């Protein structure tokens, strides 16, 4: 089976959901006309990234009666869509979220689990933590979604892998950092290292979108990427420019790679659980929360 | 054994980001033009080249604002930058603005005179942003900002600062790549507030030396002791660390005494780019 995936790296208007929605709809139309089956937008693509006190004003709910999601769900009749947004739950907590829309339905919502709150990041001040990591079924197989810091911890991608994901969709609004003599920023190199590692270790497809543009002095570097189960880079978007990067992937590559390298077959899930239980129970070697 | 410090930057990448920044931050505020004070020095030359590249030289106004004791060379160097970039320009002598205040206080020292000149230049800059319908582009580098080698509400006043995250050493690399005239790159850095003034003469060390130290302290988060172990002189390290601390006030908005439930800067939190 073939999947034509469109990686949309867009600039956004900070806090202007309506304008960002219009851009989404235009890009979705373009992706559809170019034959895409699935289009993926970056983290917080409907709102912009450094929201701070704008957060409550830009929040919405991924439902058919929501004025932001209604046109997106209508568009998802033609191709699957992944969008980034601020979700307000029924008890008025705000999450950095991603929604997978297909054939007029919200198939899945992922709420960002790890909220960086150090250095230049301040997400934990404004948002609630998500507390689930789950793969879900789509027309193209089982998929998992993670948002930026989520994939900087090894555990969420591992959980998705065990939960059956063969396509990992990672979305970022990653600020550019680390100018050196190299042609790319440190932040770009860091991300690509781990994308490739996940694709190789989980013998799965890994797609990543990152936004472009500026917010105050922060730059966002784009460079959307798709890695195949062999850890090979199949497609890459340009740096610092808006772009819609289309790539057709052969899902049967999963069969060929996993025949060569049966890491999934050999994964000892029960051993990991047993050792984790031991570690978590042992108060003398406290690791993490 | 001195620790090797690599301050090299990829100038194409930096240029790409900085021109994008200038274009984005000016356009989203509803402007298309920029105004810049051009001193004849390296930093303002680089900012001018970047602004011209980002916006088109016709959309940049460079101001030469000499005082009677300003070096003629500085004026010439500024003119070379104007010609090399093709930007619009205006020259205005600030002496009649400055001298009445200086003459009023016979005991006035160099520091006060220098501050007056820097702030007068900023009055003209901001007046011209209205006349030209642009935003003021800053010219301060990371070294100066960290050392506090700026005049509060003088040369540090601007609407956006493209080179504030580059050390002086890195600005020089960028200048070469941009095509800044060689004479501007080669001359000793100076704020040009009085005849013969040089930055390094006042600071007591070279930019090249302090950039390496600042890079370790700030970017690599070395402790002062680790910097000493890396080969820097102990007194130099402690003097720089203290200088960085003492000048924090120049880097911040003035603190507002919190009284209400929501106070600007504490819990009224929005980017400048809010809504744009």
């Amino acid at each position: 089976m073939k999947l034509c995936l469109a990686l949309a790296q867009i600039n956004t208007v900070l806090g202007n959901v309506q304008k960002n929605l219009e851009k989404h709809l235009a890009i979705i139309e373009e992706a559809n006309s170019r034959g895409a089956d699935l289009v993926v937008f970056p983290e917080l693509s409907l709102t912009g990234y450094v929201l701070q006190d704008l957060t409550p004003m830009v929040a919405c709910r991924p439902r058919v009666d929501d004025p932001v999601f209604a046109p997106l769900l209508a568009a998802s009749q033609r191709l699957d869509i992944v969008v980034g947004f601020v979700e307000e739950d029924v008890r008025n907590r705000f999450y950095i979220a991603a929604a997978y829309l297909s054939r007029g339905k919200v198939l899945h919502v992922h709420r960002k689990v790890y909220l960086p709150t150090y250095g230049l990041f301040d997400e934990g001040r404004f948002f609630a933590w998500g507390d689930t990591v789950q793969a879900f079924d789509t027309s193209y197989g089982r998929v998992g979604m993670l948002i930026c810091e989520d994939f900087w911890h090894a555990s969420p991608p591992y959980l998705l892998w065990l939960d059956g994901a063969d396509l990992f969709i990672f979305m970022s609004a990653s600020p550019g950092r680390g100018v050196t003599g190299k042609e790319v920023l440190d932040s770009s190199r860091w991300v690509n290292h781990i994308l490739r590692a996940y694709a190789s270790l989980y013998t799965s497809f890994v797609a990543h979108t990152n936004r472009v543009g500026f917010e105050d002095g922060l730059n966002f570097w784009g460079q959307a990427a798709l890695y195949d189960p062999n850890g090979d880079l199949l497609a890459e978007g340009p740096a610092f420019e808006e772009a819609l990067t289309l790539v057709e992937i052969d899902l049967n590559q999963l069969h060929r790679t996993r025949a060569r390298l049966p890491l999934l077959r050999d994964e000892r899930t029960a051993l990991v659980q047993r050792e984790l239980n031991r570690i978590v129970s042992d108060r003398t070697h406290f690791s993490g929360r | 054994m001195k620790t090797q410090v690599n301050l090299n930057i990829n100038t194409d990448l930096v240029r790409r980001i900085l021109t994008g920044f200038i274009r984005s931050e000016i356009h989203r505020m509803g402007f298309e033009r920029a105004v810049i004070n051009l001193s004849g020095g390296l930093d303002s030359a680089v900012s001018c080249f970047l602004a011209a590249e980002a916006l088109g030289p016709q959309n940049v106004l460079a101001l030469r604002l000499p005082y009677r004791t300003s070096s003629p060379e500085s004026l010439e160097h500024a003119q070379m930058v104007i010609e090399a970039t093709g930007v619009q320009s205006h020259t205005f002598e600030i002496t009649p603005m400055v001298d009445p205040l200086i003459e009023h206080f016979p005991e006035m020292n160099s520091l006060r005179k220098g501050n007056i000149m820097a702030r007068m230049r900023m009055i003209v800059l901001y007046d011209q942003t209205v006349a030209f319908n642009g935003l003021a582009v800053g010219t301060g580098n990371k070294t100066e900002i960290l050392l506090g080698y700026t005049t509060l509400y003088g040369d540090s006043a601007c609407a956006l600062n493209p080179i504030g995250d580059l050390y002086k050493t890195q600005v020089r690399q960028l200048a070469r790549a941009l095509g800044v005239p060689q004479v501007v790159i080669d001359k000793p850095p100076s704020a040009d507030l009085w005849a013969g003034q040089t930055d390094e003469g006042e600071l007591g060390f070279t930019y090249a030396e302090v950039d390496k130290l600042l890079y370790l302290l700030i970017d690599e988060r070395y402790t002062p002791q680790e910097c000493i172990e890396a080969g820097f002189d102990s007194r130099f390290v402690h003097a720089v660390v203290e200088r960085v601390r003492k000048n924090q006030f120049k880097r911040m908005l003035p603190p507002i005494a919190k009284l209400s439930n929501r106070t600007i800067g504490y819990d009224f939190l929005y980017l400048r780019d809010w809504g744009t």
Side-chain angles (χ1 to χ4, degrees):
Chain A
M1 174 185 261
K2 299 296 205 310
L3 162 64
C4 184
L5 183 59
L7 302 170
Q9 51 189 63
I10 67 169
N11 196 354
T12 55
V13 180
L14 184 63
N16 193 328
V17 175
Q18 188 56 39
K19 273 198 175 170
N20 296 326
L21 174 61
E22 285 159 18
K23 176 173 275 191
H24 276 65
L25 295 174
I27 288 170
I28 289 163
E29 191 52 45
E30 184 191 343
N32 185 49
S33 70
R34 288 171 63 185
D37 299 307
L38 163 62
V39 58
V40 181
F41 288 91
E43 176 180 9
L44 291 175
S45 56
L46 283 166
T47 61
Y49 178 64
V50 188
L51 292 167
Q52 298 176 303
D53 288 352
L54 280 169
T55 298
M57 279 72 150
V58 298
C60 53
R61 295 190 165 121
R63 302 193 313 221
V64 71
D65 58 350
D66 183 276
V68 175
F69 272 87
L72 290 168
L73 285 164
S76 77
Q77 297 285 8
R78 296 188 293 279
L79 74 168
D80 289 4
I81 303 165
V82 176
V83 291
F85 66 109
V86 174
E87 181 193 8
E88 181 173 359
D89 76 5
V90 291
R91 299 200 67 194
N92 313 110
R93 287 168 294 201
F94 306 104
Y95 300 89
I96 296 175
Y100 190 108
L101 316 178
S102 178
R103 291 171 174 52
K105 289 181 165 56
V106 181
L107 285 196
H108 188 72
V109 173
H110 173 68
R111 296 167 170 175
K112 193 170 183 178
V113 168
Y114 288 102
L115 302 175
T117 309
Y118 56 83
L120 65 90
F121 301 106
D122 207 13
E123 293 177 19
R125 178 185 300 276
F126 303 104
F127 294 100
W129 304 81
D131 59 9
T132 61
V133 174
Q134 294 169 356
F136 57 98
D137 289 314
T138 72
S139 305
Y140 308 103
R142 204 154 164 86
V143 172
M145 296 190 297
L146 294 172
I147 304 172
C148 205
E149 196 83 354
D150 288 341
F151 64 79
W152 277 99
H153 294 260
S155 40
Y158 180 66
L159 289 171
L160 291 179
W161 185 48
L162 297 184
D163 198 10
D166 290 326
L167 169 62
F168 291 70
I169 297 176
F170 294 165
M171 306 144 77
S172 297
S174 171
R177 286 150 285 161
V179 157
T180 64
K182 297 182 172 70
E183 286 174 11
V184 296
L185 293 164
D186 278 350
S187 46
S188 170
R189 286 191 309 104
W190 301 333
V191 167
N192 278 289
H193 284 164
I194 63 173
L195 297 177
R196 184 176 211 167
Y198 286 134
S200 303
L201 290 172
Y202 299 146
T203 54
S204 300
F205 288 96
V206 174
H208 176 246
T209 55
N210 181 33
R211 65 163 284 196
V212 295
F214 292 83
E215 285 178 1
D216 282 14
L218 303 185
N219 72 80
F220 299 92
W221 44 275
Q223 279 179 272
L226 183 85
Y227 285 88
D228 81 0
N230 289 331
D232 290 324
L233 181 66
L234 292 190
E236 186 177 46
F240 307 114
E241 289 167 29
E242 289 196 298
L244 186 65
T245 302
L246 268 74
V247 53
E248 184 171 80
I249 61 181
D250 174 7
L251 293 171
N252 207 45
Q253 185 61 50
L254 295 161
H255 164 83
R256 297 191 289 272
T257 302
R258 288 173 181 173
R260 170 178 71 80
L261 186 61
L263 297 176
L264 180 60
R265 181 195 76 185
D266 295 339
E267 182 59 22
R268 296 185 58 179
T269 312
L271 176 145
V272 174
Q273 183 179 42
R274 201 163 59 239
E275 292 300 312
L276 267 178
N277 287 343
R278 177 183 64 77
I279 289 162
V280 169
S281 301
D282 184 351
R283 283 306 186 233
T284 60
H285 302 97
F286 199 64
S287 301
R289 301 184 184 207
Chain B
M1 172 60 188
K2 193 144 193 173
T3 298
Q4 286 299 315
V5 179
N6 187 354
L7 287 167
N8 283 346
I9 55 171
N10 182 300
T11 54
D12 289 338
L13 177 63
V14 169
R15 201 166 170 171
R16 181 93 182 272
I17 294 171
L18 295 182
T19 55
F21 166 76
I22 291 168
R23 203 177 304 117
S24 170
E25 297 311 295
I26 287 184
H27 288 172
R28 75 204 296 161
M29 294 299 154
F31 293 88
E32 289 179 2
R33 300 173 128 190
V35 186
I36 184 166
N37 279 352
L38 200 58
S39 67
L42 182 72
D43 298 316
S44 61
V46 168
S47 288
C48 188
F49 267 80
L50 288 169
E53 185 173 310
L55 303 171
Q58 72 283 4
N59 289 318
V60 179
L61 175 65
L63 300 173
R64 296 190 311 167
L65 305 174
Y67 178 69
R68 57 184 169 77
T69 58
S70 297
S71 87
E73 277 177 358
S74 294
L75 269 178
E76 287 160 28
H77 296 161
Q79 186 59 33
M80 291 169 75
V81 171
I82 288 163
E83 286 165 8
T85 55
V87 297
Q88 300 199 49
S89 68
H90 189 77
T91 301
F92 178 82
E93 190 171 321
I94 61 171
T95 307
M97 296 170 69
V98 169
D99 274 356
L101 183 51
I102 290 178
E103 286 160 6
H104 187 77
F105 296 99
E107 78 286 5
M108 189 177 290
N109 65 12
S110 292
L111 175 65
R112 290 172 61 190
K113 292 176 188 176
N115 285 344
I116 292 167
M117 290 175 217
R119 288 171 182 148
M120 289 301 186
R121 290 190 170 109
M122 216 44 64
I123 290 174
V124 181
L125 174 71
Y126 268 87
D127 173 66
Q128 290 301 298
T129 63
V130 179
F132 195 65
N133 195 33
L135 291 184
V137 172
T139 64
N141 64 56
K142 188 169 184 174
T143 313
E144 288 172 349
I145 294 170
L146 285 168
L147 296 177
Y149 198 55
T150 62
T151 303
L152 191 63
Y153 309 119
D155 51 315
S156 60
C158 60
L160 64 153
N161 183 354
I163 63 169
D165 205 17
L166 290 173
Y167 291 106
K168 185 77 178 198
T169 302
Q170 295 169 325
V171 176
R172 189 165 281 114
Q173 292 169 48
L174 183 55
R176 284 187 200 104
L178 287 165
V180 170
Q182 194 64 41
V183 64
V184 175
I185 296 175
D186 289 342
K187 72 182 191 181
S190 168
D192 195 33
L193 295 173
W194 51 82
Q197 181 198 22
T198 65
D199 294 355
E200 290 167 348
E202 288 185 10
L203 292 168
F205 40 75
T206 66
Y207 273 120
E209 191 70 4
V210 77
D211 281 349
K212 291 173 186 169
L213 176 58
L214 287 170
Y215 179 79
L216 291 183
L217 285 167
I218 304 298
D219 293 67
E220 297 295 326
R221 300 176 190 257
Y222 275 42
T223 64
Q225 183 56 36
E226 284 172 319
C227 292
I228 294 165
E229 286 160 16
F232 291 90
D233 175 79
S234 170
R235 282 170 303 174
F236 175 50
V237 170
H238 287 108
V240 168
V241 167
E242 181 61 5
R243 185 168 180 144
V244 170
R245 185 196 67 77
K246 277 166 76 171
N247 285 284
Q248 178 70 351
F249 74 97
K250 288 187 178 181
R251 298 178 204 111
M252 310 292 295
L253 288 177
I256 291 169
K258 184 167 178 54
L259 295 170
S260 71
N261 285 318
R262 211 159 172 218
T263 309
I264 294 155
Y266 290 109
D267 35 15
F268 178 85
L269 298 167
Y270 297 87
L271 289 194
R272 179 193 185 96
D273 283 355
W274 178 2
T276 70

